[in-house]
Amino acid sequence: MTLKSSAGQLQLLKKAKEGDEEAKNEFVALNLGLVWSVVKKFSNRGYEPEELFQIGSVGLLKAIDKFDFTYNVKFSTYAIPMIIGEIKRFIRDNSPVKMARSLRDLTIKIQSAKEKLLYELNREPTIIELSEEIGVPPEEIVMGLEAIQPIVSLNDVAYQEDGAPIYYIDKLDDGEQLHSQWIEKIAVKEALSRLDKLERQIIILRYFKEKSQTEVAKVLGITQVQVSRLEKKILTKIKNMLTQ
DNA sequence: TGTATTATCGTAACCCTAGG
DNA sequence: CCTAGGGTTACGATAATACA
């Protein structure tokens, strides 16, 4: 969070887009935090954070140029995938071929093992199970999984609590193909990450696990009425986050 | 806040009819 | 005659609200 109000930032962004260099610089400065937050996600890949930061900043600049107010989402919602795209492109282009190759082999193995186990167990296999199935140490499985769906995860917690991922956002490689669909997905993800634990649980159980209010109430140890009221509150909250 | 009630929605069950 | 499909109804489950 920056000190500047979001309304002020919007003004700044408008000016920047109109070619006001000073405004642009100031806006960039205010949003470098975004770049860092993305860089952190890629910290375990053996690249210099400084270097990734440079690359990420390019993504930020591109985002400023291409951001369209009619998207009706917050700037960060749009910028983050853009930054990620830039960094991923860089990593892809810079990865030694053989590394990429062995990693690709691994991901292929993981994919098929995953499908097999999914069928056998009737649920998402754990990392340990995948590891045993393929005969590769868990750390490498993690790496392989990362490669399959690297990504954002602004709300890791939301995933952990339930095991199975809710959805994946990939195809972020190309900043050009901006389907409003995934913009929305990211927006929702971000909004979700800003809810507190109880609120997030309710939304996950209700909308991703498709439980009834009564079921949710039982799980969380509250009444159906509570769930109904909280749900209503949360939904308007999210709506506000997405459009503000 | 919780209980009791009402409103809403999906769907199973039934009937009817047109077309094979 | 059979049957696919369309329309109607009734019912149960779920969610929202009224009230204490």
Side-chain angles (χ1 to χ4, degrees), chain A residues 45-96:
Chain A
R45 304 209 181 182
Y47 286 93
E48 282 299 316
E50 300 292 337
E51 190 175 19
L52 294 184
F53 180 75
Q54 294 292 338
I55 308 296
S57 302
V58 175
L60 177 60
L61 291 175
K62 280 193 187 176
I64 291 174
D65 284 339
K66 296 197 179 173
F67 183 74
D68 189 329
F69 291 99
T70 61
Y71 289 154
N72 220 18
V73 297
K74 296 202 302 170
F75 176 73
S76 62
T77 301
Y78 179 83
I80 288 178
M82 211 68 162
I83 296 168
I84 291 172
E86 206 59 35
I87 292 181
K88 280 180 71 180
R89 187 175 4 252
F90 168 76
I91 290 179
R92 189 187 49 209
D93 294 348
N94 276 271
S95 299

Side-chain angles (χ1 to χ4, degrees), chain A residues 21-226:
Chain A
E21 282 301 315
E22 203 174 309
K24 190 168 183 176
N25 288 336
E26 194 181 343
F27 187 79
V28 168
L30 283 171
N31 285 282
L32 285 180
L34 283 180
V35 180
W36 275 118
S37 70
V38 172
V39 167
K40 263 190 257 167
K41 301 286 174 190
F42 291 87
S43 58
N44 55 350
R45 304 209 181 182
Y47 286 93
E48 282 299 316
E50 300 292 337
E51 190 175 19
L52 294 184
F53 180 75
Q54 294 292 338
I55 308 296
S57 302
V58 175
L60 177 60
L61 291 175
K62 280 193 187 176
I64 291 174
D65 284 339
K66 296 197 179 173
F67 183 74
D68 189 329
F69 291 99
T70 61
Y71 289 154
N72 220 18
V73 297
K74 296 202 302 170
F75 176 73
S76 62
T77 301
Y78 179 83
I80 288 178
M82 211 68 162
I83 296 168
I84 291 172
E86 206 59 35
I87 292 181
K88 280 180 71 180
R89 187 175 4 252
F90 168 76
I91 290 179
R92 189 187 49 209
D93 294 348
N94 276 271
S95 299
V97 178
K98 66 178 176 192
M99 173 58 193
R101 171 149 201 168
S102 70
L103 192 60
R104 180 149 32 92
D105 291 346
L106 181 60
T107 59
I108 291 170
K109 274 187 199 158
I110 290 177
Q111 281 291 18
S112 61
K114 211 171 168 184
E115 276 169 36
K116 185 177 164 215
L117 289 175
L118 188 63
Y119 178 74
E120 284 177 8
L121 303 170
N122 222 357
R123 63 174 167 78
E124 288 275 323
T126 65
I127 291 178
I128 304 296
E129 284 163 349
L130 282 171
S131 159
E132 282 165 0
E133 174 71 23
I134 308 177
V136 168
E139 309 87 72
E140 287 188 36
I141 300 289
V142 174
M143 264 186 54
L145 285 173
E146 278 274 306
I148 298 174
Q149 349 131 358
I151 297 323
V152 215
S153 252
L154 291 165
N155 56 333
D156 293 332
V157 199
Y159 289 144
Q160 284 170 9
E161 276 164 15
D162 301 275
I166 298 163
Y167 47 65
Y168 312 129
I169 302 166
D170 7 61
K171 298 184 196 146
L172 293 180
D173 285 329
D174 234 344
E176 335 308 328
Q177 43 164 328
L178 296 169
H179 305 313
S180 60
Q181 229 188 355
W182 68 249
I183 290 185
E184 268 166 35
K185 279 188 181 178
I186 306 237
V188 170
K189 259 188 144 221
E190 192 197 314
L192 225 45
S193 74
R194 290 166 58 188
L195 300 173
D196 67 40
K197 190 175 172 185
L198 178 65
E199 294 175 328
R200 194 163 46 229
Q201 277 182 317
I202 289 176
I203 296 301
I204 289 170
L205 290 171
R206 292 277 297 132
Y207 294 95
F208 295 102
K209 302 216 145 188
E210 300 192 323
K211 305 256 189 215
S212 70
Q213 289 186 347
T214 314
E215 284 176 302
V216 174
K218 203 183 284 176
V219 173
L220 299 179
I222 56 180
T223 64
Q224 174 261 321
V225 179
Q226 280 279 57

